[in-house]
Amino acid sequence: MEDVSTLKHTPLHALHRSLGARMVPFAGYDMPVQYPEGVLKEHLHTRAAAGLFDVSHMGQIVVRPKSGKIEDAALALEKLVPADVLGLAEGRQRYGLFTNAAGGILDDLMIVNRGDHLFLVVNAACKDADLAHLKDGLGSVCDVTMLTDRALIALQGPRAGAVLCELWADVSSMRFMDVTEADLHDVSCIISRSGYTGEDGFEISIPAEAAVDVTQRLLEHPDVLPIGLGARDSLRLEAGLCLYGNDIDTNTSPIEAGLEWAIQKSRRAGGERAGGFPGAGRILAELTDGVSRRRVGLRPEGRAPVRGNANLFADEEGRTAAGTVTSGGFGPSVDGPVAMGYVDAEHAEVGTRLFAEVRGKYLPIAVTALPFIKQTYKR
């Protein structure tokens, strides 16, 4: 347990307290895990209307080319990630992965082309290491800066677009993964149409001094409720999205994790800029030859959730190991337990029946397709 006295606060910390949030240590910050409505209602409200999340603990990093040419920053970053950064159009963002020499994942991140610089959003627990990694890898050609004067919020759910439209009408023209700068409540914000719930929604970077005003303005809308970390986790799990440190880590390759879609054609074997990133030998070979284990969705039979770290077996006596659960819990939108984890390739086919070890019992659990809910991004 982290020492509460040393925890950092986001610019919205006092607002969370005023809203009755239950606060917990998370990635070095004092963060809201839930509000008085409770995790279940927060989760279902986000799926039905709009939920507002404080994600200011995450890292916001600017990568600015010293030459002034965005192409130089893109090519430099491609030495650290297997994504096509050079082909990313201005005003668009792309999911990426920092990989290590062994082909494992150091972190996952979002990469934005802002015209004259790249804007990255990285995970809170990894942000200091990511900053050092970027400076070490790009420092000769780019200035790399962590922004410490901005908040970050996420507005997610089927009513998110309509809510935001009341502050900025042009939001209706944005599509999934678009990024732009606009004034909200007379405050210049960076807005992306993306999120971590499987729903349509937005992530909004706000100058820290204006964060409370903009957030309160959004919370005044009858369709919006504040949402804590508890519902954020259940929402992302239903959407089949990875949590760094649970579902992906330095011992997991992008191909094992089912994230090969994040490696565009130009970076694969035969592509115009194939390889050139850490661990490329292993990762490109796995794209061709396959892997011995894969991340899969899992649906326990019955009502009992199966949590992360539960071992999976091919038989109900627990004799033949088959894999491990990495995330699991109750899925309010599907009214039942959901999980994901890694299983040996021979057990990865949808419909395969396995058994999870829970408190000395072996509970039946089926391999299923991800996500558990239909994603509603605005394409």
Side-chain angles (χ1 to χ4, degrees), residues 225-289:
L225 280 181
I227 311 296
L229 293 174
R232 186 170 187 253
D233 191 56
S234 57
L235 288 158
R236 70 90 193 168
L237 178 55
E238 285 185 344
L241 301 174
C242 294
L243 174 63
Y244 189 81
N246 285 46
D247 309 298
I248 51 176
D249 56 29
T250 55
N251 297 312
T252 308
S253 81
I255 316 308
E256 290 176 325
L259 299 174
E260 54 265 41
W261 54 267
I263 306 173
Q264 286 75 36
K265 185 178 179 181
S266 64
R267 308 304 310 280
R268 300 186 180 202
E272 56 266 35
R273 297 184 314 286
F277 51 87
R282 174 191 175 184
I283 293 168
L284 296 183
E286 287 182 349
L287 276 170
T288 301
D289 303 332

Side-chain angles (χ1 to χ4, degrees), residues 45 196 249 302 345:
H45 184 88
Y196 194 48
D249 56 29

Side-chain angles (χ1 to χ4, degrees), residues 119-143:
F119 177 60
L120 314 182
V121 179
V122 302
N123 283 303
C126 304
K127 64 183 181 183
D128 291 333
D130 289 346
L131 181 66
H133 185 56
L134 285 161
K135 286 185 173 181
D136 184 57
L138 280 63
S140 62
V141 292
C142 298
D143 294 317

Side-chain angles (χ1 to χ4, degrees), residues 84-158:
D84 175 6
V85 186
L86 185 63
L88 183 62
E90 183 176 347
R92 294 286 290 167
Q93 92 175 339
R94 174 164 286 159
Y95 178 80
L97 302 158
F98 288 129
T99 53
N100 62 23
I105 300 171
L106 294 171
D107 197 10
D108 59 343
L109 69 154
M110 300 305 297
I111 305 164
V112 182
N113 181 340
R114 294 275 293 134
D116 63 350
H117 68 275
L118 299 174
F119 177 60
L120 314 182
V121 179
V122 302
N123 283 303
C126 304
K127 64 183 181 183
D128 291 333
D130 289 346
L131 181 66
H133 185 56
L134 285 161
K135 286 185 173 181
D136 184 57
L138 280 63
S140 62
V141 292
C142 298
D143 294 317
V144 181
T145 309
M146 179 83 74
L147 301 181
T148 58
D149 58 350
R150 299 189 73 87
L152 188 66
I153 62 172
L155 184 68
Q156 300 283 294

Side-chain angles (χ1 to χ4, degrees), residues 2-285:
E2 294 171 83
D3 182 356
V4 175
S5 66
T6 64
L7 294 175
K8 298 175 184 177
H9 293 175
T10 75
L12 300 177
H13 185 267
L15 179 60
H16 298 312
R17 292 283 190 185
S18 73
L19 294 170
R22 181 160 72 85
M23 308 297 286
V24 299
F26 183 80
Y29 285 79
D30 195 30
M31 295 293 292
V33 68
Q34 68 177 74
Y35 297 86
E37 291 282 352
V39 173
L40 178 64
K41 287 186 177 179
E42 291 173 27
H43 178 113
L44 294 174
H45 184 88
T46 303
R47 291 270 185 252
L52 191 147
F53 306 73
D54 180 10
V55 289
S56 304
H57 58 312
M58 299 182 74
Q60 302 180 66
I61 299 175
V62 167
V63 176
R64 191 176 298 277
K66 294 179 179 180
S67 67
K69 299 177 181 178
I70 191 67
E71 296 83 2
D72 290 344
L75 289 171
L77 186 57
E78 286 191 358
K79 295 178 180 178
L80 301 183
V81 302
D84 175 6
V85 186
L86 185 63
L88 183 62
E90 183 176 347
R92 294 286 290 167
Q93 92 175 339
R94 174 164 286 159
Y95 178 80
L97 302 158
F98 288 129
T99 53
N100 62 23
I105 300 171
L106 294 171
D107 197 10
D108 59 343
L109 69 154
M110 300 305 297
I111 305 164
V112 182
N113 181 340
R114 294 275 293 134
D116 63 350
H117 68 275
L118 299 174
F119 177 60
L120 314 182
V121 179
V122 302
N123 283 303
C126 304
K127 64 183 181 183
D128 291 333
D130 289 346
L131 181 66
H133 185 56
L134 285 161
K135 286 185 173 181
D136 184 57
L138 280 63
S140 62
V141 292
C142 298
D143 294 317
V144 181
T145 309
M146 179 83 74
L147 301 181
T148 58
D149 58 350
R150 299 189 73 87
L152 188 66
I153 62 172
L155 184 68
Q156 300 283 294
R159 294 287 298 158
V163 170
L164 196 57
C165 195
E166 293 187 15
L167 293 186
W168 181 57
D170 289 347
V171 71
S172 59
S173 66
M174 294 182 71
R175 59 193 175 100
F176 184 54
M177 292 295 200
D178 275 352
V179 182
T180 192
E181 191 161 351
D183 285 350
L184 301 183
H185 197 31
D186 298 321
V187 177
S188 181
C189 301
I190 302 168
I191 304 171
S192 67
R193 195 158 200 162
S194 59
Y196 194 48
T197 62
E199 299 291 337
D200 181 27
F202 306 85
E203 292 194 336
I204 307 168
S205 176
I206 313 168
E209 68 274 9
V212 171
D213 287 344
V214 173
T215 301
Q216 285 182 319
R217 182 72 176 267
L218 291 167
L219 287 171
E220 287 170 2
H221 198 287
D223 286 340
V224 181
L225 280 181
I227 311 296
L229 293 174
R232 186 170 187 253
D233 191 56
S234 57
L235 288 158
R236 70 90 193 168
L237 178 55
E238 285 185 344
L241 301 174
C242 294
L243 174 63
Y244 189 81
N246 285 46
D247 309 298
I248 51 176
D249 56 29
T250 55
N251 297 312
T252 308
S253 81
I255 316 308
E256 290 176 325
L259 299 174
E260 54 265 41
W261 54 267
I263 306 173
Q264 286 75 36
K265 185 178 179 181
S266 64
R267 308 304 310 280
R268 300 186 180 202
E272 56 266 35
R273 297 184 314 286
F277 51 87
R282 174 191 175 184
I283 293 168
L284 296 183

